[in-house]
């Protein structure tokens, strides 16, 4: 079995910062990409950022220059440093990991989500 667990959400004022963490554990052969998505009330889930095992990253235009994704392959963990937060960043943030459970099988796994609220 594989588990993906997020932590680090919370409430912050506009302009503030938060750091999210996501750790994968269990029967893992290797991990391909890991990333963060978010879903605001009444909206579809959207990609925030993701990073490959080689370190290549992609960001949504709305977060470029403010958010930074990083990854610790030894710990099977991905981080999202969020700076200059805006009220429109308020959402539930989900971690997604593409994990090889054996040499030929890749599955996608989601975390349970962590709430980020940006409000004055």
């Amino acid at each position: 079995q594989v588990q993906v667990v997020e932590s680090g959400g919370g409430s912050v004022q506009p302009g503030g910062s938060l750091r999210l963490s996501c750790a994968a554990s269990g029967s893992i052969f290797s991990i391909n990409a890991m990333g963060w998505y978010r879903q605001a009330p009444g909206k579809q889930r959207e990609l925030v950022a993701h990073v490959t095992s080689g370190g290549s990253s992609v960001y949504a235009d709305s977060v470029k220059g403010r958010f930074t994704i990083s990854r610790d392959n030894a710990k099977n963990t991905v981080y999202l440093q969020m700076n200059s937060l805006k009220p429109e960043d308020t959402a539930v943030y989900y971690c997604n990991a593409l994990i090889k459970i054996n040499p030929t099988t890749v599955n996608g796994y989601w975390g349970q989500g962590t709430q980020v609220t940006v409000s004055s």
Side-chain angles (χ1 to χ4, degrees):
Q1 286 187 342
V2 173
Q3 284 189 318
V4 174
V5 179
E6 304 107 334
S7 60
S11 296
V12 65
Q13 292 186 340
S17 298
L18 284 173
R19 188 189 193 214
L20 306 182
S21 300
C22 169
S25 62
S27 301
I28 297 171
F29 180 79
S30 65
I31 300 179
N32 294 354
M34 297 184 78
W36 292 94
Y37 290 72
R38 67 186 181 187
Q39 188 166 18
K43 294 188 176 181
Q44 289 187 330
R45 191 173 297 188
E46 63 176 2
L47 173 70
V48 176
H50 77 87
V51 59
T52 67
S53 58
S56 297
S57 57
V58 173
Y59 294 91
D61 288 342
S62 59
V63 307
K64 283 180 182 177
R66 300 188 297 121
F67 291 10
T68 302
I69 191 168
S70 61
R71 180 169 167 174
D72 186 334
N73 290 332
K75 295 181 179 180
N76 292 336
T77 298
V78 65
Y79 306 96
L80 186 68
Q81 179 65 44
M82 304 185 293
N83 299 328
S84 302
L85 282 160
K86 303 176 180 180
E88 50 264 43
D89 295 317
T90 295
V92 178
Y93 283 69
Y94 296 91
C95 179
N96 177 267
L98 294 177
I99 296 175
K100 270 189 175 180
I101 58 173
N102 60 53
T104 59
T105 303
V106 178
N107 293 329
Y109 296 88
W110 290 96
Q112 80 284 359
T114 185
Q115 177 70 45
V116 171
T117 302
V118 185
S119 173
S120 54

